[in-house]
Amino acid sequence: MAKRNDWVRIHRNVLEPEERTGKLPEDTKKVPLEMWVKGRLQEEQAEIGDEVTVKTCVGRIEHGRLIEVNPCYELNYGVFVPELLTMEESLRSALFGGDEA
């Protein structure tokens, strides 16, 4: 269960195979154009698989299917540490002037 402002990852198909341009390699034309995005959950609560909205670090609003709560990088940098994200956001705000930066 995820709650509002939790750091989450979503997924959605941006274009289905039939919507893609004809100027692609044949194997690429056969699959959808997919998007995975991380951001802060905007709904009060959600379960894995629910359609949700997130706000990314740069303030973009995106929608998709919730696939992970507190996602971590899979490059062996360690587990997700929420305090580090909060520190980054505080520093950006202090250095660059708030949400608009």
Side-chain angles (χ1 to χ4, degrees):
M1 167 83 66
K3 61 185 184 342
R4 185 175 188 81
N5 286 322
D6 278 353
W7 188 246
V8 299
R9 184 185 334 221
I10 62 170
H11 170 266
R12 76 176 161 105
N13 289 347
V14 178
L15 293 173
E16 295 302 325
E18 62 274 6
E19 298 172 311
R20 298 189 74 171
T21 183
K23 298 179 180 182
L24 293 172
E26 285 303 314
D27 58 340
T28 303
K29 285 186 212 178
K30 295 177 184 177
V31 296
L33 176 63
E34 299 178 88
M35 175 182 76
W36 289 265
V37 176
K38 295 177 189 173
R40 294 208 178 266
L41 184 66
Q42 298 300 292
E43 280 74 19
E44 288 302 318
Q45 60 183 11
E47 297 282 345
I48 300 294
D50 289 351
E51 288 292 319
V52 298
T53 304
V54 299
K55 185 174 184 180
T56 68
C57 281
V58 296
R60 208 172 72 230
I61 301 294
E62 291 290 348
H63 65 91
R65 184 175 45 88
L66 180 62
I67 58 171
E68 192 174 0
V69 179
N70 291 334
C72 65
Y73 292 101
E74 296 175 8
L75 301 171
N76 203 18
Y77 293 121
V79 297
F80 177 75
V81 180
E83 294 80 6
L84 292 178
L85 182 62
T86 302
M87 287 171 40
E88 176 189 1
E89 291 168 345
S90 296
L91 284 170
R92 283 182 189 271
S93 179
L95 293 171
F96 301 112
D99 293 337
E100 292 77 33

